[in-house]
Amino acid sequence: MALKRKANARDSPEADEVLLSDGSDEFDATDLNGVLSQDDESDDPGLDDSDNGEEELDSDGENTDITEDEGSAEIGATAPKSVNSGKPVNGAFDHEDNTPNYSVTTDANGNDRYVYKEVDPVYDSDDSDAPFTTNTIGNIPLPFYDSYPHIGYDINGKKIARPAKGEALDALLDSIEVPKGWTGLTDPQTGKPLELTQEEMEVLKKIHMNEVPEEGYDPYPAMVEWFTSKEEIMPLSAAPEPKRRFVPSKHEAKRVMKIVRAIREGRIMPYKPPVEEEEEQQPSFRYDLWANEAPRADHVMHIPAPKLPPPVFDESYHPPPEYLPDENEKNNWLGAEEEDRPKDYLPSDHDALRKVPGYDKFLKEKFERCLDLYLAPRVRRAKLDIDPESLLPKLPRPEELRPFPTVCSCIFRGHEGRVRSLNISPDGHWLASGGDDGTVRIWAMDGGREVWRIKVGDNEAVNVVRWRPGTDACLLAVAVGETVLLIIPFPGTGHLASEIESTSLDLVDAGWGYAATAPTSETAAKEPAAPWTRPPSTLGDQGVLVQISLRATVKSISWHRRGEYFATVSPEGQTSAVAIHSLSKHLTQLPFRRLRGIPQTAQFHPSKPLFFIATQHVVRSYDLSKQELHRIDQPGARWISSIDLHPGGNNLIVGSYDKRLLWHDLELDTKPHKVLRYHSKAIRAVKYHQGGLPLFADASDDGTLQVFHGKVVNDMMENATIVPLKVLRGHTLKKDLGILDIDWHPAHPWLVSAGADGTCRLWL
């Protein structure tokens, strides 16, 4: 042992301090002795000889090899001592350090008890998949080798030299030229710079970023309910019910005894398995659908099976010569289409039956025959006997809807040619009419006599006459060609009260004063849409006060309910087709620069600021306050002739030249609510009763007037009641023209009509 100490002291002076210290360092004397006692070299007789004074020197004359081997043996063989110093059992040692893997204790009876260590399931195999370990010093701390030039031993027992440390310049160069995988750390196992792979660098980066290093890790897994949230009602005991608690049922006992008695009496036979018999193969049959049909008596609901027609002479294989076709008939039959042939076959003659060839349409005929039998009805279905009249809604009888006009009471004669227009005054005393003779005539409603007339057109007809609404003044608007005249009738006759006549004059003269004092503007230099001028003296003496010249022939005039404005329609006027005139200002406005379609007529709403214009196919309504399009109604007519609004303002009737009368509900769809067809020719005029009676009528070129009952209620759930009441006939046709205009009395159920025969008729 002294030789070893000298060798260690000669190699490194600090070795004595490590090995011979009194426990100031990591090892004490007991640990060192234990290591030396368990060293394999201590049992070698050659080692004992070396202890007696024989030393082995290396090539340099120093015994450093012995010292290093001993140092490695001393350090590497360190192992803990057993709890019990008893002799270990064979095979009860660890594989690495040959220490027992158990401890001996005393059990309750005082005997020895061997307590083995738990098996460590760490992978510790030596196959090629195990990581290659270069340093085999085990768990010895690396600082113990600080005093030696080596840092351990490899698997073959060779020393692992300590890596050389570079100077400051080398360290600087190494820091500048950073190799791949360089970390700046030193591996404590090898002492070399620690190099990491790309995968390890990614793991470190994720750890540094507070991320999960493993792939596929779910940080928010689904929660597992270890304890259910539902309260389960469980019994206090899960043991089955004991048999002593069984209570037999008397009802079941009665049923069992009943079955027992039935078995004893033989009413219930015990089950016997059926005897297996070999089924004989039955020959297949082909069934005829009508073979078993028994003859039945004639019955209304029974339909017999369809039968084939009997064969005829030309179907024979040897028909008479007169049934055989000639060459022309054969060529015609072969040249015709299969659907156009009168027969599906061509008759032919054969001397014998064996010479008859096969029929190529045999299968097709049989298939069609099967279809006839399959699809033939066997029972006649009973049809519902419904009276079509019962499906119609129940309407009240016309007798229950009186009063309404039924007969012609008076005929107004005097016009030469057709009477184009007529209108009853607001007070109901006068009837104004105009015709092809260019005259305007006023008739008394009470007697039918002509009261006053005026000649306003020499070569032009009077198209429209309309009274101004209101009883405070008496003013008549007349359209003659392209001119509109405002007339106060009965000048100097005394038929008008002085107050009414003066009020009428003031209404017209107020416009002249406004036109004279109107402020000038940029538009004053422009040509007016329709100039308002005073008529010639010949007309002024007869009551004509104002003359308005338009750009096209006027076909319709409609007054506003207040009497301040009236609208005219000229279908050929294009941009000036619709004009609105102000009576108090003597101004004319053209509200539409461009109007789609050809306008036919126009009308103001009875209570709202709406203006309706009817073109050939649609009816458009415009909001005058907002100056925008309000609604478009589509009657579906080919050519609209006239329209009229209900006094309530929620319903509209449209007459068309295609013989249809259409009722529109303005609060519902834009399509017509009701379509009425009662005329054989075009409808010229339609009119509501404005006095509160539920009546409306239409006039047609067939010379008839159709009077209807039209009741409108405020309930949105109930539709309007429309009942045809009466057909009025009396006008004669002239050049396929019948009745051209109609109007209602403002208070009574009286109707007047203007015909192409030159007469006006009053219907009461």
Side-chain angles (χ1 to χ4, degrees):
M1 297 296 291
L3 179 60
K4 294 179 180 180
R5 291 176 183 173
K6 291 178 181 179
N8 294 335
R10 186 167 58 246
D11 290 339
S12 177
E14 291 83 358
D16 285 337
E17 297 178 5
V18 177
L19 298 175
L20 301 177
S21 63
D22 296 334
S24 60
D25 294 329
E26 284 82 351
F27 282 137
D28 54 3
T30 58
D31 293 339
L32 188 59
N33 292 333
V35 171
L36 294 176
S37 64
Q38 295 178 9
D39 189 14
D40 295 337
E41 295 180 0
S42 63
D43 296 336
D44 192 358
L47 185 58
D48 296 338
D49 296 340
S50 64
D51 291 339
N52 293 332
E54 297 180 1
E55 298 178 1
E56 294 180 5
L57 300 178
D58 54 4
S59 61
D60 297 334
E62 295 179 359
N63 56 353
T64 58
D65 295 339
I66 301 175
T67 306
E68 293 174 359
D69 294 341
E70 290 177 357
S72 63
E74 292 171 358
I75 297 173
T78 304
K81 297 177 66 177
S82 176
V83 177
N84 193 348
S85 61
K87 201 170 185 177
V89 184
N90 294 334
F93 293 92
D94 291 336
H95 296 287
E96 295 180 357
D97 49 5
N98 293 330
T99 57
N101 60 350
Y102 65 89
S103 61
V104 181
T105 59
T106 305
D107 58 2
N109 298 328
N111 299 326
D112 294 338
R113 180 185 179 189
Y114 297 91
V115 179
Y116 291 87
K117 298 179 182 179
E118 294 183 358
V119 178
D120 188 6
V122 179
Y123 185 80
D124 195 13
S125 175
D126 290 337
D127 53 9
S128 59
D129 294 338
F132 181 76
T133 305
T134 59
N135 201 342
T136 59
I137 62 175
N139 296 328
I140 301 302
L142 198 61
F144 285 174
Y145 288 90
D146 291 343
S147 59
Y148 297 98
H150 60 278
I151 60 175
Y153 300 88
D154 58 4
I155 193 63
N156 297 325
K158 293 183 180 182
K159 298 176 184 178
I160 301 175
R162 186 183 300 278
K165 297 182 179 179
E167 297 297 331
L169 182 59
D170 298 334
L172 179 60
L173 294 175
D174 293 339
S175 63
I176 294 175
E177 297 177 359
V178 179
K180 186 177 181 181
W182 182 83
T183 60
L185 303 177
T186 304
D187 189 0
Q189 299 292 334
T190 61
K192 297 181 180 180
L194 181 61
E195 295 183 1
L196 301 178
T197 61
Q198 186 65 24
E199 290 78 7
E200 295 173 344
M201 293 291 290
E202 292 292 336
V203 172
L204 288 177
K205 184 178 179 181
K206 290 184 179 180
I207 294 175
H208 180 69
M209 299 290 291
N210 293 331
E211 296 181 0
V212 179
E214 296 182 4
E215 294 292 340
Y217 175 76
D218 186 9
Y220 306 104
M223 186 184 69
V224 180
E225 292 189 2
W226 301 104
F227 301 96
T228 178
S229 58
K230 297 180 181 179
E231 295 183 0
E232 304 288 348
I233 301 176
M234 303 297 293
L236 297 177
S237 176
E241 196 76 13
K243 292 184 178 180
R244 64 178 178 272
R245 298 183 185 176
F246 175 75
V247 178
S249 174
K250 294 183 179 180
H251 175 68
E252 291 181 356
K254 290 181 180 180
R255 293 188 61 186
V256 170
M257 292 306 299
K258 185 176 180 180
I259 295 173
V260 170
R261 286 195 298 269
I263 293 175
R264 290 176 180 176
E265 293 175 0
R267 290 184 285 110
I268 297 179
M269 302 300 295
Y271 174 75
K272 293 182 180 181
V275 180
E276 296 182 358
E277 297 180 357
E278 295 182 358
E279 296 182 359
E280 297 181 358
Q281 295 182 355
Q282 298 180 357
S284 59
F285 295 99
R286 297 182 180 178
Y287 297 94
D288 186 4
L289 186 64
W290 311 93
N292 299 327
E293 184 180 14
R296 300 183 183 179
D298 293 338
H299 194 269
V300 178
M301 306 305 294
H302 173 66
I303 300 178
K307 297 181 179 180
L308 290 175
V312 293
F313 291 103
D314 55 2
E315 293 185 17
S316 174
Y317 73 95
H318 186 58
E322 59 268 17
Y323 290 98
L324 294 176
D326 54 9
E327 292 297 332
N328 293 332
E329 294 177 351
K330 286 183 179 181
N331 295 332
N332 294 335
W333 188 88
L334 294 174
E337 296 292 337
E338 187 175 358
E339 294 82 6
D340 299 336
R341 294 173 179 175
K343 298 179 181 180
D344 295 338
Y345 60 92
L346 190 64
S348 58
D349 186 16
H350 301 281
D351 298 338
L353 185 60
R354 64 180 182 274
K355 296 181 180 180
V356 177
Y359 185 42
D360 54 349
K361 297 183 180 179
F362 177 77
L363 294 178
K364 182 179 179 181
E365 285 189 356
K366 296 303 178 185
F367 177 73
E368 292 178 353
R369 173 60 178 169
C370 293
L371 286 181
D372 294 341
L373 298 177
Y374 172 70
L375 300 176
R378 304 303 303 275
V379 178
R380 183 178 286 106
R381 299 289 182 90
K383 295 183 180 180
L384 296 177
D385 188 9
I386 299 177
D387 185 11
E389 299 293 336
S390 62
L391 300 177
L392 298 176
K394 293 183 179 180
L395 299 177
R397 294 183 300 173
E399 292 77 8
E400 301 175 358
L401 301 177
R402 293 183 180 275
F404 56 86
T406 56
V407 296
C408 180
S409 174
C410 182
I411 301 177
F412 305 90
R413 303 179 185 272
H415 281 282
E416 297 177 1
R418 292 173 290 189
V419 181
R420 292 182 176 269
S421 178
L422 55 77
N423 192 229
I424 300 178
S425 62
D427 56 3
H429 297 320
W430 316 105
L431 172 65
S433 63
D436 288 347
D437 54 359
T439 61
V440 177
R441 301 171 186 262
I442 297 179
W443 315 78
M445 291 292 294
D446 52 358
R449 67 185 185 280
E450 181 181 327
V451 179
W452 181 80
R453 68 177 176 178
I454 180 175
K455 182 74 171 180
V456 295
D458 296 333
N459 299 323
E460 293 180 345
V462 177
N463 294 322
V464 189
V465 291
R466 290 292 182 267
W467 292 96
R468 177 187 176 274
T471 58
D472 56 341
C474 182
L475 190 64
L476 181 65
V478 179
V480 182
E482 299 179 358
T483 306
V484 177
L485 305 176
L486 299 181
I487 304 173
I488 298 178
F490 317 118
T493 59
H495 293 289
L496 288 179
S498 59
E499 296 87 1
I500 296 177
E501 188 173 358
S502 62
T503 304
S504 303
L505 289 172
D506 293 341
L507 285 175
V508 178
D509 292 340
W512 300 119
Y514 178 84
T517 60
T520 59
S521 61
E522 296 180 358
T523 59
K526 296 182 180 180
E527 182 182 356
W532 293 54
T533 59
R534 296 183 183 274
S537 59
T538 56
L539 295 177
D541 297 340
Q542 298 182 14
V544 180
L545 301 180
V546 180
Q547 180 177 349
I548 306 172
S549 299
L550 297 174
R551 303 175 184 177
T553 303
V554 179
K555 294 293 185 180
S556 173
I557 297 178
S558 175
W559 282 91
H560 190 266
R561 64 183 182 277
R562 296 178 181 176
E564 173 65 21
Y565 301 94
F566 65 93
T568 59
V569 177
S570 304
E572 300 175 356
Q574 297 180 358
T575 57
S576 61
V578 180
I580 298 178
H581 311 273
S582 176
L583 182 61
S584 62
K585 298 180 181 180
H586 286 192
L587 292 178
T588 300
Q589 297 178 353
L590 303 177
F592 303 100
R593 296 180 180 177
R594 182 180 180 184
L595 187 62
R596 294 183 179 180
I598 301 175
Q600 302 296 316
T601 182
Q603 194 168 359
F604 290 94
H605 193 276
S607 59
K608 297 179 182 179
L610 298 178
F611 187 57
F612 290 81
I613 298 178
T615 60
Q616 288 182 347
H617 305 290
V618 297
V619 178
R620 291 183 173 89
S621 59
Y622 295 89
D623 193 335
L624 298 178
S625 61
K626 298 180 181 180
Q627 296 183 1
E628 63 181 10
L629 179 64
H630 175 68
R631 179 187 174 95
I632 299 178
D633 292 285
Q634 299 177 352
R638 296 180 181 178
W639 195 306
I640 296 175
S641 61
S642 59
I643 63 172
D644 194 28
L645 283 166
H646 191 271
N650 295 330
N651 295 274
L652 173 73
I653 54 175
V654 179
S656 65
Y657 289 114
D658 54 357
K659 303 174 289 187
R660 290 188 296 174
L661 176 65
L662 306 111
W663 178 293
H664 279 264
D665 193 335
L666 300 181
E667 294 182 350
L668 298 179
D669 194 10
T670 58
K671 303 295 182 181
H673 169 67
K674 195 77 172 179
V675 179
L676 305 174
R677 297 181 178 88
Y678 289 98
H679 293 282
S680 60
K681 290 186 178 182
I683 296 177
R684 290 284 178 175
V686 292
K687 195 69 176 180
Y688 275 112
H689 193 286
Q690 303 295 328
L693 296 177
L695 297 172
F696 68 96
D698 63 352
S700 174
D701 280 341
D702 58 2
T704 61
L705 294 93
Q706 183 75 46
V707 182
F708 297 90
H709 171 85
K711 182 180 179 182
V712 179
V713 294
N714 294 326
D715 188 4
M716 293 292 294
M717 301 301 294
E718 184 177 354
N719 295 326
T721 304
I722 303 174
V723 181
L725 297 177
K726 185 68 175 178
V727 179
L728 303 178
R729 295 182 174 88
H731 288 278
T732 59
L733 301 182
K734 295 292 183 178
K735 297 181 180 180
D736 294 334
L737 295 178
I739 303 175
L740 302 180
D741 197 8
I742 56 174
D743 194 16
W744 288 93
H745 192 276
H748 301 288
W750 300 347
L751 182 66
V752 291
S753 60
D757 55 357
T759 61
C760 299
R761 294 176 182 265
L762 173 63
W763 307 86
L764 302 179

